[in-house]
Amino acid sequence: MTVGKVLSSTFDGSIDLGIIGGTGLYNLDCLVPIAVLSPVETPWGTTSSPVTISKVEGSEKDFYVAFIARHGEHHEFPPTRVPFRANIACLKNLQCKAILSFSAVGSLRHYIKPRDFVIPQQIIDRTKGIRESSYLNEVGLVGHVGFGEPFSAAFGEYLYRFKDVLKNTDSDEPCLLHFNKDMTVVCMEGPQFSTRAESKMYRALGGDVINMSVLPEAKLARECEIPYQMVCMSTDYDAWRDEHEPVTVETVVGNLTNNANNANSLASKVIVEMAKEIPEFMQTGDGLRGATRNSISTKTEAISTQCVQNMKYLFPDF
């Protein structure tokens, strides 16, 4: 962030790209911060961090990026306690066109090595039902939004174009970007890592990587009709390999710096290219517009006043 520059505490425009991830992502060289919104109050609580609004430096067209630190400025929110609904609602209220999410993961496959990146297209939910995962689960408003394809395939394909930006700073072994239509991330509750038996079970279920944060983030983005794609950054092989010790924090920390550098490089490249020409899936909504309105089962006259007010925060014309 620019030293000595006083940034606005308000923003009246609309956001092109929302980024959710680690704190280093708000300070990309291609961005000029223009506002910092104090942790934003929403009908579903307060965002996990202030929201940093930036614009692309030197771009012919205004292109605005909003950044939220998922676990807080000082990593104070454990996975179960992240205010996911507030984070996604805030981005929706800012008229965000797409969300790019970053997350550390454990690998469940030999070919996905530490420091590789993965663009998943499917999710297996192994959370325990204690996270608030919907805006449509209140008395007075019931809806069932389709989630068969939880990520934006068009967004994933767009990201895969930039696979060559990934570098391995202290090894000749390349960092790969893995992407196909069946690439699957398992979301577990945490905060503990998997047992060896659990890790083997996730492999048998078809999981490729495992994390603690893709849900309910992806579900909420879908209810908000925002194209969403997570980039998974492999830090370790989880616990499934019999010939190795189970994963420890020390193992994970060793790969975080390289992954952070590559996340910054990938995000920077994506932002600069989007600023030149906004992808079609962001212009059209990737086929999601109207998905939530059409999913509501409650009769209009039975929808509670509070639910109407809450939904207007997300959809002003609700």
Side-chain angles (χ1 to χ4, degrees):
M1 199 172 295
T2 306
V3 177
K5 182 178 179 181
V6 177
L7 300 178
S8 174
S9 60
T10 61
F11 177 73
D12 296 325
S14 61
I15 294 299
D16 295 289
L17 180 68
I19 297 181
I20 301 175
T23 53
L25 287 166
Y26 73 82
N27 199 23
L28 303 178
D29 290 340
C30 65
L31 296 177
V32 179
I34 60 172
V36 177
L37 314 183
S38 295
V40 177
E41 291 284 348
T42 78
W44 300 274
T46 305
T47 56
S48 57
S49 76
V51 182
T52 302
I53 311 293
S54 303
K55 64 185 297 185
V56 177
E57 187 172 27
S59 176
E60 293 182 3
K61 306 173 185 176
D62 286 340
F63 187 89
Y64 294 104
V65 178
F67 172 79
I68 295 176
R70 180 188 292 112
H71 294 285
E73 288 185 283
H74 308 290
H75 211 99
E76 61 268 36
F77 290 96
T80 301
R81 304 302 178 191
V82 171
F84 290 104
R85 291 199 297 180
N87 289 347
I88 301 299
C90 172
L91 292 175
K92 177 63 176 179
N93 186 255
L94 289 169
Q95 304 173 61
C96 180
K97 297 183 180 69
I99 296 174
L100 174 59
S101 172
F102 287 88
S103 173
V105 299
S107 171
L108 297 171
R109 302 293 167 189
H110 281 289
Y111 68 88
I112 301 174
K113 63 186 184 300
R115 302 191 182 189
D116 281 0
F117 280 20
V118 172
I119 302 173
Q121 292 297 283
Q122 284 296 323
I123 302 171
I124 295 174
D125 187 356
R126 292 291 298 168
T127 60
K128 297 181 178 179
I130 57 178
R131 307 180 185 195
E132 295 288 354
S133 61
S134 177
Y135 300 107
L136 304 172
N137 200 30
E138 308 289 342
V139 175
L141 182 64
V142 177
H144 306 280
V145 177
F147 199 57
E149 304 295 335
F151 297 101
S152 167
F155 200 170
E157 291 169 0
Y158 185 86
L159 294 171
Y160 189 63
R161 295 165 45 193
F162 308 116
K163 58 183 180 294
D164 291 339
V165 306
L166 303 185
K167 306 296 180 186
N168 206 342
T169 56
D170 53 13
S171 172
D172 293 332
E173 194 168 22
C175 295
L176 302 178
L177 181 60
H178 303 273
F179 171 62
N180 65 58
K181 68 180 181 66
D182 296 316
M183 193 67 67
T184 300
V185 55
V186 178
C187 188
M188 63 180 292
E189 190 62 56
Q192 299 85 0
F193 293 124
S194 309
T195 67
R196 196 184 302 278
E198 288 171 333
S199 194
K200 289 180 178 181
M201 178 184 69
Y202 299 144
R203 280 168 47 83
L205 289 173
D208 296 297
V209 293
I210 182 167
N211 79 354
M212 302 176 189
S213 57
V214 68
L215 294 176
E217 205 169 79
K219 289 183 177 181
L220 297 168
R222 177 57 52 88
E223 288 189 351
C224 285
E225 303 175 2
I226 305 174
Y228 172 91
Q229 183 61 60
M230 174 171 277
V231 174
C232 297
M233 306 175 291
S234 176
T235 59
D236 58 83
Y237 278 113
D238 205 51
W240 55 272
R241 299 198 301 176
D242 290 321
E243 69 275 19
H244 292 269
E245 290 297 316
V247 62
T248 65
V249 171
E250 289 77 14
T251 303
V252 171
V253 169
N255 295 312
L256 288 178
T257 299
N258 198 85
N259 285 354
N261 290 338
N262 277 334
N264 287 7
S265 297
L266 180 60
S268 295
K269 185 66 175 178
V270 168
I271 289 167
V272 169
E273 292 302 313
M274 283 182 170
K276 293 177 183 176
E277 183 177 0
I278 295 181
E280 183 178 359
F281 69 86
M282 292 172 67
Q283 299 181 47
T284 64
D286 204 23
L288 298 178
R289 291 174 184 167
T292 296
R293 183 184 298 275
N294 295 333
S295 78
I296 294 174
S297 305
T298 308
K299 292 183 179 180
T300 302
E301 60 270 22
I303 298 176
S304 71
T305 301
Q306 185 61 57
C307 286
V308 170
Q309 292 175 350
N310 290 353
M311 293 304 290
K312 281 184 175 294
Y313 184 87
L314 305 176
F315 303 100
D317 61 345
F318 181 78

